[in-house]
Amino acid sequence: MADLWLDFITSFALATTEYSLSQALGHLRSAARRLVRQWRRPAFLVRREHVQLGLLVERHGLRGQIVRCDGDHVKVRWADETVTFHQIGHDICLLDGEVKVDSNVKALNVLNPVEEDSIFARDTMTIAWESNGDIPTVDLLLYERCTDSEEDLLEVMTIALAVPNSGSYSWTVPSCVSGHNLKVCVQDSDCEYVSDQSGFFHVQNNRPLCDIGPGDPAILFAEPRPNEVCRPGDDCVIRWATKGGVERVNIHLIQASHAEDDVLVETLIRHAKNVGKFLWRVPP
């Protein structure tokens, strides 16, 4: 605000010394408008109740649209094609001080899963999103973070293609999926640049015994853990827990597949006594 007062005073001084009367009045009017706009600015700030995809906003005279809503922050695509994140109620304003939505702005915003969600393999997850603009169908992809960088993502699998843009999709998590750094990406089937990603969530493959009905026989895997590496020549400890009177077990080495059926590689042992542990030396 102090800078704008200085701007107004400077304009007044220049107007009275260096310009004709019409020029002076023009400079003074421009400076006054900047001053009034800043003085009224708090009333125009984007508040939580205003936030929606396609909402037209402005900042420092630059026009933009909200293309993502994420808690207390929004993602804005500006007229100069830059994209920035802003905290709600701080530094972006409603365009012309009014709630205006551009229905032509194509945008997607993933609502579920959320950060730190957890689900077991073979369970069903509801993927939910909202959209703005003409997006008839969307593609659903699964990504995994490979390093400490949140930007270093690897596409793990395609969940579904050309899904009708209804805002939700029920996905049964395949048995081959596990990990603690997974994300769902929803993208426009016709334009991969129109997309959004969920927060990181977890998929577990070993369901607790307490989740299984009384009397139901069950074997639940404990070790090796997801993403654990066993190298040739290593002694790999295989552990499991059982419920429901399992006396003997078979242990198989299986290659996980994104298809419905996994691939049997080798049977490690048959009809072994159920002691909950087996030491397997990985072949060289």
Side-chain angles (χ1 to χ4, degrees):
M1 181 66 75
D3 290 342
L4 284 171
W5 274 112
L6 180 60
D7 173 51
F8 180 78
I9 293 170
T10 302
S11 295
F12 179 80
L14 289 172
T16 56
T17 58
E18 297 187 14
Y19 299 110
S20 66
L21 180 60
S22 60
Q23 290 175 320
L25 290 175
H27 282 283
L28 286 173
R29 278 195 296 268
S30 298
R33 279 196 296 269
R34 289 193 295 271
L35 184 62
V36 171
R37 188 184 300 121
Q38 181 68 15
W39 175 66
R40 297 179 61 192
R41 187 172 180 267
F44 296 160
L45 285 173
V46 173
R47 299 190 297 272
R48 187 178 298 277
E49 60 266 28
H50 299 145
V51 173
Q52 55 186 303
L53 295 181
L55 181 70
L56 297 176
V57 297
E58 69 90 15
R59 181 172 180 261
H60 302 323
L62 189 62
R63 171 175 169 160
Q65 305 94 20
I66 290 178
V67 294
R68 181 182 178 187
C69 315
D70 186 10
D72 292 331
H73 294 78
V74 293
K75 180 180 178 181
V76 179
R77 181 182 295 120
W78 299 102
D80 63 359
E81 297 301 323
T82 59
V83 175
T84 54
F85 286 86
H86 301 272
Q87 188 170 354
I88 297 172
H90 279 67
D91 60 347
I92 57 172
C93 299
L94 297 170
L95 185 67
D96 299 329
E98 300 177 11
V99 177
K100 300 177 182 179
V101 177
D102 187 346
S103 60
N104 294 318
V105 175
K106 296 174 69 172
L108 289 163
N109 188 40
V110 177
L111 305 175
N112 194 67
V114 298
E115 192 81 21
E116 300 299 328
D117 261 2
S118 183
I119 189 172
F120 288 100
R122 303 180 183 86
D123 279 357
T124 299
M125 165 188 286
T126 297
I127 301 171
W129 66 92
E130 60 181 354
S131 65
N132 188 73
D134 183 19
I135 306 177
T137 61
V138 296
D139 298 338
L140 309 177
L141 309 172
L142 182 66
Y143 285 89
E144 182 174 17
R145 184 173 68 187
C146 303
T147 66
D148 291 337
S149 171
E150 294 190 5
E151 303 300 323
D152 189 8
L153 298 176
L154 174 68
E155 183 178 335
V156 176
M157 66 176 295
T158 298
I159 297 172
L161 297 175
V163 175
N165 184 16
S166 63
S168 67
Y169 179 84
S170 294
W171 176 46
T172 300
V173 182
S175 60
C176 60
V177 174
S178 67
H180 292 268
N181 298 301
L182 300 171
K183 277 190 172 190
V184 167
C185 174
V186 180
Q187 68 181 35
D188 182 355
S189 298
D190 296 327
C191 180
E192 64 182 28
Y193 300 108
V194 179
S195 65
D196 190 35
Q197 297 172 359
S198 71
F200 286 107
F201 65 97
H202 309 159
V203 173
Q204 303 179 54
N205 257 312
N206 47 332
R207 181 185 296 277
L209 285 171
C210 59
D211 285 358
I212 298 175
D216 294 337
I219 301 176
L220 302 173
F221 205 75
E223 289 186 72
R225 297 181 179 86
N227 300 321
E228 184 174 338
V229 176
C230 295
R231 295 180 174 82
D234 286 353
D235 287 330
C236 179
V237 178
I238 301 172
R239 297 182 190 273
W240 63 91
T242 60
K243 187 177 182 179
V246 178
E247 295 183 0
R248 294 187 176 275
V249 297
N250 298 331
I251 301 177
H252 306 287
L253 181 64
I254 293 176
Q255 173 69 50
S257 169
H258 294 325
E260 293 184 1
D261 298 324
D262 296 331
V263 180
L264 175 63
V265 177
E266 179 184 354
T267 297
L268 305 183
I269 192 170
R270 290 184 179 274
H271 307 298
K273 188 176 180 180
N274 179 21
V275 295
K277 177 182 177 181
F278 176 73
L279 186 63
W280 172 53
R281 174 156 291 183
V282 181

